[in-house]
Amino acid sequence: MPSDDEPVDEGKRNFLKVMVAVSVIAAAGGAVKAVLQNVKTPVAGITSFPTMQLYWVPPNSTSSIPVPLKTADFPTNSPSIFVFDYPLQGEPNFLLKLADASGKPIKIESTEVTIPATGAKFMSAPGVGPDQNIVASSAICEHLGCVPPIIHYYTPGTPIPGHPGLVNTYKNGLIHCNCHGSTYDPLHGFAVVTGPTAKPLPNVVLEWDPVSDTLYVKSMVGPTIYGKPSDLSGGTPFPVGTTTTTVTDLGTPSS
Ligand code: FES
């Protein structure tokens, strides 16, 4: 042990200081790592379904700025794919205004729909608008998650790949997924018509304001969106204060 009279070895002292500091940092780092390993990555989401007004850029508009969508301007039985995000960003939904082959609007009533995968039942979202023929659903296939344009609405009388008999049986149009052949009935809660899907498309609950002729999205019913335990989590919420979602025309698919 050095006596008080011995000269202090500054180099040795500094070396020891550095080693102590390194040990402290290493220990702290290990503790932080342990804490981080025990903290689950937070799942982004929202606590309830937001109410959002549907906006769009009307066909032939001279402006690219979206405005409230009026049902009178929205095309009936359009072969074009119209989608909007809800309840989180990047989660597409179909918007459909349905009519029979002659163009006569089809009033769509709420009906009991079975989820074949579980046997559970739910009441479908009814049609809204002046003719009660406007409906919406998730546009993500409940089989393995294919999205538009490979899944889309086939207008009345349009042949459906792999299902020639369906045109006559379901003469008022169907949603079909070309990935593996699942088909859904938009007139009856987007129920399963053909597999391999074992779940209907989640229904979007719409509300029509007759004064302004505009549409609002309120919530969803039926199974959850494909691959999600909850419609409200596991995605990217809209920025706080967002009250509108924009309907986009993806165009008409070739098949
Ligand atoms: S993902 Fe749609 S049928 Fe398979």
Side-chain angles (χ1 to χ4, degrees), residues 109-218:
E109 315 226 34
S110 179
T111 186
E112 187 176 83
V113 180
T114 300
I115 303 173
T118 61
K121 301 178 189 301
F122 69 95
M123 293 306 293
S124 66
V128 300
D131 295 313
Q132 295 173 259
N133 66 334
I134 298 173
V135 289
S137 79
S138 171
I140 305 173
C141 185
E142 286 285 302
H143 175 225
L144 290 176
C146 284
V147 296
I150 202 160
I151 177 173
H152 65 90
Y153 174 62
Y154 285 72
T155 57
T158 305
I160 296 172
H163 303 292
L166 291 183
V167 176
N168 296 326
T169 308
Y170 291 86
K171 55 184 182 297
N172 289 325
L174 291 167
I175 285 176
H176 179 73
C177 178
N178 287 329
C179 277
H180 311 99
S182 296
T183 314
Y184 306 88
D185 183 358
L187 276 75
H188 298 93
F190 298 87
V192 176
V193 175
T194 67
T197 183
K199 294 180 181 176
L201 291 175
N203 292 199
V204 177
V205 178
L206 299 170
E207 187 174 276
W208 175 57
D209 175 12
V211 176
S212 61
D213 189 32
T214 57
L215 294 171
Y216 291 82
V217 199
K218 306 287 287 190

